[in-house]
Amino acid sequence: MTAEVTEFLTAGLRPHECRSCGTCVLVKKNSLKHTSIQWTTDAARSCPVFAAHAAAGGHTALLDTCEKLSDSIADAVRDGALGLATAAEQPGGGVAPGGAR
């Protein structure tokens, strides 16, 4: 992966610890409705919701995310602990790798 692509995918990500279970993920709020979440651990081992889903025979790849984690992120945004990504945190000023917008 090129440095440009890596920056495009990771710029603006901030650590966030779930207030429910303590699992730490990387989060970027691109807008109030768009949240990027990057798991830094095996979700089925670190998140009780994902673990329960896996234990029941479900595939965790089919889960969008954990509702408790989503609520924790929303609380952090509301509390001001996690803000929206700035234009500077949007790689290339919002230009995707290769120059496309």
Side-chain angles (χ1 to χ4, degrees):
M1 190 177 316
T2 68
E4 182 182 47
V5 170
T6 300
E7 181 177 337
F8 181 76
L9 295 174
T10 62
L13 288 170
R14 298 208 175 6
H16 175 76
E17 190 172 292
C18 178
R19 292 180 182 177
S20 177
C21 71
T23 297
C24 188
V25 296
L26 298 176
V27 177
K28 179 179 174 184
K29 287 295 294 176
N30 296 305
S31 71
L32 289 176
K33 294 194 179 247
H34 181 216
T35 304
S36 296
I37 299 171
Q38 184 176 41
W39 290 81
T40 58
T41 60
D42 177 358
R45 291 181 189 223
S46 61
C47 172
V49 172
F50 274 68
H53 188 75
H59 296 284
T60 58
L62 300 177
L63 290 177
D64 184 32
T65 193
C66 168
E67 273 303 311
K68 292 179 180 184
L69 176 61
S70 293
D71 290 346
S72 178
I73 292 168
D75 288 345
V77 170
R78 196 172 22 262
D79 296 346
L82 184 65
L84 297 179
T86 65
E89 292 170 329
Q90 301 294 338
V95 177
R101 281 199 183 258

